[in-house]
Amino acid sequence: MAIHLVVIDALNLIRRVHAAQPGQPDVDNTARVCCQALQKIISSTQPSHIVAVFDHNSDDRGWRAELLPHYKEGRKPMPPELLAGMDTIQDAFMAIGIDSLLSDGDEADDLVATLALKVASRNEQVTIVSTDKGYCQLLQPTLRIRDYFQQRWLDSPFIEKEYGVKPQLLTDYWGLAGISSSKIPGVAGIGPKAAVELLSLYPNLEAILTATDLAPKWQKKITGNEETARASKAVASLKTDLTLGFNLQDIRYIMPQ
């Protein structure tokens, strides 16, 4: 049987649905609207396997904050009523045939990446449902990313238009230009245009950082900031080697009767 794994970036979906509700957001209504969205996703993708991946709720910001102490600092916390209603939402997901995978200290991004790449590497189809462009570094013929809210594919043409680089150079690009929303600094004074220009002249970030023929305008910005650039790239990169502790059979999609 051909496999089509659909991986839902759960909090990416839930927090957007919750924030879009008029008036005082209600957890039961959030669960209902999320399930409507998920049923549309199931109908359009026809998954053989499906799972919703959730982030852990602890204050531990993980290995990325060890490399960059300000990583995701100041991010708006989850609304208390939504945090308290996670069991309700997960039960609603289970009622429509979608199991939940909760991370235990790892970021959901890394769990999603590990699971998705493990299946895609076997030439099986994987669809990640998320608005997070960080997943686009994983793009390959059998792995795609769907932005449910904008109803678009975050594919290679989209990335090249959006960033000016191919998906496989995204982490090199972020190592230079940074990601302000996640407090990933990149190299001070090098913005998106400069990052694209440098990556058109050199094959990757490391080649730029060790080049002996950099133009003086770039050299003075990079000198002394090499380790910050490397740390920025590392933090923007997804881990794909986590131990998952389950197999595909556990997340096989069975339509509820």
Side-chain angles (χ1 to χ4, degrees), residues 100-128:
S100 296
L101 173 61
L102 279 66
S103 66
D104 182 21
D106 298 302
E107 281 198 56
D109 296 0
D110 294 325
L111 278 174
V112 169
T114 297
L115 175 59
L117 215 56
K118 189 171 186 177
V119 174
S121 66
R122 300 178 192 163
N123 290 320
E124 304 287 2
Q125 182 65 52
V126 179
T127 302
I128 298 171

mmCIF file of all heavy atoms in Angstrom, residues 100-128:
data_model
loop_
_atom_site.group_PDB
_atom_site.id
_atom_site.type_symbol
_atom_site.label_atom_id
_atom_site.label_comp_id
_atom_site.label_asym_id
_atom_site.label_seq_id
_atom_site.Cartn_x
_atom_site.Cartn_y
_atom_site.Cartn_z
ATOM 1 N N SER A 100 -2.292 12.350 18.697
ATOM 2 C CA SER A 100 -1.415 13.476 19.018
ATOM 3 C C SER A 100 -0.061 12.964 19.482
ATOM 4 O O SER A 100 0.022 12.007 20.256
ATOM 5 C CB SER A 100 -2.033 14.344 20.127
ATOM 6 O OG SER A 100 -3.236 14.935 19.685
ATOM 7 N N LEU A 101 0.986 13.593 18.997
ATOM 8 C CA LEU A 101 2.352 13.308 19.423
ATOM 9 C C LEU A 101 2.847 14.511 20.204
ATOM 10 O O LEU A 101 2.902 15.623 19.668
ATOM 11 C CB LEU A 101 3.245 13.045 18.211
ATOM 12 C CG LEU A 101 4.750 12.886 18.464
ATOM 13 C CD1 LEU A 101 5.014 11.691 19.377
ATOM 14 C CD2 LEU A 101 5.497 12.728 17.156
ATOM 15 N N LEU A 102 3.144 14.301 21.474
ATOM 16 C CA LEU A 102 3.607 15.390 22.336
ATOM 17 C C LEU A 102 5.110 15.258 22.544
ATOM 18 O O LEU A 102 5.601 14.188 22.914
ATOM 19 C CB LEU A 102 2.910 15.354 23.695
ATOM 20 C CG LEU A 102 1.519 15.962 23.779
ATOM 21 C CD1 LEU A 102 0.512 15.168 22.964
ATOM 22 C CD2 LEU A 102 1.052 16.040 25.223
ATOM 23 N N SER A 103 5.802 16.353 22.297
ATOM 24 C CA SER A 103 7.246 16.332 22.486
ATOM 25 C C SER A 103 7.579 16.333 23.972
ATOM 26 O O SER A 103 6.821 16.848 24.788
ATOM 27 C CB SER A 103 7.888 17.546 21.810
ATOM 28 O OG SER A 103 7.486 18.741 22.445
ATOM 29 N N ASP A 104 8.706 15.745 24.298
ATOM 30 C CA ASP A 104 9.146 15.689 25.690
ATOM 31 C C ASP A 104 10.512 16.351 25.778
ATOM 32 O O ASP A 104 11.544 15.687 25.845
ATOM 33 C CB ASP A 104 9.203 14.234 26.160
ATOM 34 C CG ASP A 104 9.615 14.119 27.622
ATOM 35 O OD1 ASP A 104 9.474 15.108 28.364
ATOM 36 O OD2 ASP A 104 10.091 13.034 28.014
ATOM 37 N N GLY A 105 10.509 17.683 25.718
ATOM 38 C CA GLY A 105 11.772 18.421 25.791
ATOM 39 C C GLY A 105 12.290 18.836 24.433
ATOM 40 O O GLY A 105 13.059 19.784 24.334
ATOM 41 N N ASP A 106 11.900 18.137 23.376
ATOM 42 C CA ASP A 106 12.306 18.534 22.028
ATOM 43 C C ASP A 106 11.282 19.504 21.454
ATOM 44 O O ASP A 106 10.101 19.459 21.809
ATOM 45 C CB ASP A 106 12.387 17.310 21.111
ATOM 46 C CG ASP A 106 13.430 16.307 21.586
ATOM 47 O OD1 ASP A 106 14.598 16.715 21.687
ATOM 48 O OD2 ASP A 106 13.067 15.152 21.838
ATOM 49 N N GLU A 107 11.724 20.367 20.567
ATOM 50 C CA GLU A 107 10.778 21.243 19.884
ATOM 51 C C GLU A 107 9.969 20.428 18.882
ATOM 52 O O GLU A 107 10.481 19.501 18.242
ATOM 53 C CB GLU A 107 11.512 22.376 19.163
ATOM 54 C CG GLU A 107 11.932 23.503 20.089
ATOM 55 C CD GLU A 107 12.253 24.780 19.335
ATOM 56 O OE1 GLU A 107 11.387 25.269 18.595
ATOM 57 O OE2 GLU A 107 13.374 25.276 19.487
ATOM 58 N N ALA A 108 8.697 20.797 18.749
ATOM 59 C CA ALA A 108 7.825 20.101 17.805
ATOM 60 C C ALA A 108 8.411 20.130 16.398
ATOM 61 O O ALA A 108 8.285 19.164 15.642
ATOM 62 C CB ALA A 108 6.432 20.731 17.822
ATOM 63 N N ASP A 109 9.081 21.238 16.043
ATOM 64 C CA ASP A 109 9.679 21.370 14.702
ATOM 65 C C ASP A 109 10.626 20.206 14.403
ATOM 66 O O ASP A 109 10.643 19.668 13.292
ATOM 67 C CB ASP A 109 10.474 22.673 14.588
ATOM 68 C CG ASP A 109 9.605 23.910 14.712
ATOM 69 O OD1 ASP A 109 8.392 23.760 14.894
ATOM 70 O OD2 ASP A 109 10.149 25.024 14.630
ATOM 71 N N ASP A 110 11.429 19.834 15.397
ATOM 72 C CA ASP A 110 12.405 18.766 15.199
ATOM 73 C C ASP A 110 11.734 17.394 15.126
ATOM 74 O O ASP A 110 12.178 16.515 14.386
ATOM 75 C CB ASP A 110 13.451 18.780 16.318
ATOM 76 C CG ASP A 110 14.311 20.041 16.294
ATOM 77 O OD1 ASP A 110 14.595 20.539 15.187
ATOM 78 O OD2 ASP A 110 14.693 20.527 17.371
ATOM 79 N N LEU A 111 10.658 17.219 15.894
ATOM 80 C CA LEU A 111 9.904 15.972 15.817
ATOM 81 C C LEU A 111 9.246 15.828 14.445
ATOM 82 O O LEU A 111 9.296 14.759 13.828
ATOM 83 C CB LEU A 111 8.826 15.932 16.903
ATOM 84 C CG LEU A 111 9.257 15.505 18.298
ATOM 85 C CD1 LEU A 111 8.096 15.668 19.270
ATOM 86 C CD2 LEU A 111 9.725 14.059 18.296
ATOM 87 N N VAL A 112 8.629 16.913 13.982
ATOM 88 C CA VAL A 112 8.001 16.909 12.664
ATOM 89 C C VAL A 112 9.047 16.580 11.593
ATOM 90 O O VAL A 112 8.828 15.739 10.715
ATOM 91 C CB VAL A 112 7.337 18.268 12.362
ATOM 92 C CG1 VAL A 112 6.912 18.365 10.899
ATOM 93 C CG2 VAL A 112 6.131 18.494 13.273
ATOM 94 N N ALA A 113 10.190 17.262 11.677
ATOM 95 C CA ALA A 113 11.241 17.076 10.675
ATOM 96 C C ALA A 113 11.766 15.644 10.675
ATOM 97 O O ALA A 113 11.960 15.042 9.609
ATOM 98 C CB ALA A 113 12.383 18.056 10.923
ATOM 99 N N THR A 114 11.997 15.077 11.853
ATOM 100 C CA THR A 114 12.506 13.707 11.952
ATOM 101 C C THR A 114 11.527 12.710 11.350
ATOM 102 O O THR A 114 11.902 11.853 10.537
ATOM 103 C CB THR A 114 12.789 13.339 13.420
ATOM 104 O OG1 THR A 114 13.821 14.194 13.926
ATOM 105 C CG2 THR A 114 13.233 11.887 13.559
ATOM 106 N N LEU A 115 10.265 12.817 11.744
ATOM 107 C CA LEU A 115 9.242 11.901 11.241
ATOM 108 C C LEU A 115 9.056 12.054 9.732
ATOM 109 O O LEU A 115 9.036 11.061 8.990
ATOM 110 C CB LEU A 115 7.920 12.161 11.975
ATOM 111 C CG LEU A 115 6.701 11.372 11.501
ATOM 112 C CD1 LEU A 115 6.946 9.871 11.604
ATOM 113 C CD2 LEU A 115 5.471 11.776 12.313
ATOM 114 N N ALA A 116 8.926 13.294 9.280
ATOM 115 C CA ALA A 116 8.668 13.557 7.860
ATOM 116 C C ALA A 116 9.806 13.046 6.983
ATOM 117 O O ALA A 116 9.568 12.391 5.958
ATOM 118 C CB ALA A 116 8.454 15.046 7.637
ATOM 119 N N LEU A 117 11.045 13.319 7.388
ATOM 120 C CA LEU A 117 12.183 12.928 6.558
ATOM 121 C C LEU A 117 12.398 11.414 6.570
ATOM 122 O O LEU A 117 12.800 10.826 5.558
ATOM 123 C CB LEU A 117 13.447 13.648 7.033
ATOM 124 C CG LEU A 117 14.445 14.038 5.935
ATOM 125 C CD1 LEU A 117 13.784 14.900 4.871
ATOM 126 C CD2 LEU A 117 15.630 14.757 6.531
ATOM 127 N N LYS A 118 12.084 10.790 7.705
ATOM 128 C CA LYS A 118 12.226 9.335 7.800
ATOM 129 C C LYS A 118 11.331 8.645 6.770
ATOM 130 O O LYS A 118 11.741 7.695 6.103
ATOM 131 C CB LYS A 118 11.855 8.877 9.216
ATOM 132 C CG LYS A 118 12.163 7.424 9.496
ATOM 133 C CD LYS A 118 11.971 7.113 10.966
ATOM 134 C CE LYS A 118 12.415 5.692 11.286
ATOM 135 N NZ LYS A 118 12.311 5.374 12.717
ATOM 136 N N VAL A 119 10.108 9.147 6.616
ATOM 137 C CA VAL A 119 9.161 8.555 5.664
ATOM 138 C C VAL A 119 9.495 8.979 4.231
ATOM 139 O O VAL A 119 9.508 8.156 3.310
ATOM 140 C CB VAL A 119 7.716 8.945 6.039
ATOM 141 C CG1 VAL A 119 6.727 8.459 4.982
ATOM 142 C CG2 VAL A 119 7.352 8.374 7.411
ATOM 143 N N ALA A 120 9.804 10.252 4.033
ATOM 144 C CA ALA A 120 10.100 10.751 2.677
ATOM 145 C C ALA A 120 11.352 10.084 2.102
ATOM 146 O O ALA A 120 11.440 9.884 0.889
ATOM 147 C CB ALA A 120 10.267 12.264 2.704
ATOM 148 N N SER A 121 12.302 9.741 2.969
ATOM 149 C CA SER A 121 13.544 9.123 2.493
ATOM 150 C C SER A 121 13.315 7.721 1.929
ATOM 151 O O SER A 121 14.171 7.160 1.259
ATOM 152 C CB SER A 121 14.578 9.065 3.623
ATOM 153 O OG SER A 121 14.145 8.197 4.649
ATOM 154 N N ARG A 122 12.146 7.166 2.205
ATOM 155 C CA ARG A 122 11.785 5.852 1.649
ATOM 156 C C ARG A 122 10.975 6.020 0.355
ATOM 157 O O ARG A 122 10.320 5.087 -0.098
ATOM 158 C CB ARG A 122 10.942 5.067 2.651
ATOM 159 C CG ARG A 122 11.612 4.780 3.977
ATOM 160 C CD ARG A 122 10.618 4.032 4.862
ATOM 161 N NE ARG A 122 11.058 3.959 6.242
ATOM 162 C CZ ARG A 122 10.249 3.668 7.253
ATOM 163 N NH1 ARG A 122 8.961 3.442 7.019
ATOM 164 N NH2 ARG A 122 10.709 3.602 8.477
ATOM 165 N N ASN A 123 10.986 7.234 -0.171
ATOM 166 C CA ASN A 123 10.218 7.557 -1.384
ATOM 167 C C ASN A 123 8.715 7.452 -1.178
ATOM 168 O O ASN A 123 7.967 7.163 -2.118
ATOM 169 C CB ASN A 123 10.655 6.704 -2.580
ATOM 170 C CG ASN A 123 12.036 7.088 -3.068
ATOM 171 O OD1 ASN A 123 12.367 8.270 -3.123
ATOM 172 N ND2 ASN A 123 12.851 6.099 -3.380
ATOM 173 N N GLU A 124 8.273 7.665 0.056
ATOM 174 C CA GLU A 124 6.840 7.733 0.357
ATOM 175 C C GLU A 124 6.441 9.206 0.476
ATOM 176 O O GLU A 124 7.262 10.058 0.822
ATOM 177 C CB GLU A 124 6.525 6.994 1.659
ATOM 178 C CG GLU A 124 6.964 5.539 1.683
ATOM 179 C CD GLU A 124 6.105 4.612 0.828
ATOM 180 O OE1 GLU A 124 5.170 5.094 0.167
ATOM 181 O OE2 GLU A 124 6.382 3.404 0.814
ATOM 182 N N GLN A 125 5.170 9.497 0.209
ATOM 183 C CA GLN A 125 4.690 10.880 0.197
ATOM 184 C C GLN A 125 4.452 11.407 1.613
ATOM 185 O O GLN A 125 3.860 10.724 2.452
ATOM 186 C CB GLN A 125 3.382 10.973 -0.600
ATOM 187 C CG GLN A 125 2.807 12.382 -0.716
ATOM 188 C CD GLN A 125 3.703 13.308 -1.518
ATOM 189 O OE1 GLN A 125 4.097 12.986 -2.634
ATOM 190 N NE2 GLN A 125 4.031 14.448 -0.956
ATOM 191 N N VAL A 126 4.905 12.637 1.851
ATOM 192 C CA VAL A 126 4.674 13.313 3.132
ATOM 193 C C VAL A 126 4.165 14.724 2.865
ATOM 194 O O VAL A 126 4.703 15.433 2.009
ATOM 195 C CB VAL A 126 5.975 13.406 3.971
ATOM 196 C CG1 VAL A 126 5.706 14.143 5.286
ATOM 197 C CG2 VAL A 126 6.553 12.028 4.241
ATOM 198 N N THR A 127 3.126 15.118 3.597
ATOM 199 C CA THR A 127 2.648 16.502 3.565
ATOM 200 C C THR A 127 2.684 17.058 4.980
ATOM 201 O O THR A 127 2.070 16.495 5.887
ATOM 202 C CB THR A 127 1.200 16.594 3.022
ATOM 203 O OG1 THR A 127 1.150 16.040 1.709
ATOM 204 C CG2 THR A 127 0.731 18.041 2.983
ATOM 205 N N ILE A 128 3.439 18.137 5.180
ATOM 206 C CA ILE A 128 3.450 18.865 6.454
ATOM 207 C C ILE A 128 2.467 20.024 6.317
ATOM 208 O O ILE A 128 2.555 20.796 5.355
ATOM 209 C CB ILE A 128 4.851 19.397 6.791
ATOM 210 C CG1 ILE A 128 5.853 18.246 6.947
ATOM 211 C CG2 ILE A 128 4.822 20.246 8.063
ATOM 212 C CD1 ILE A 128 7.302 18.699 7.074
#
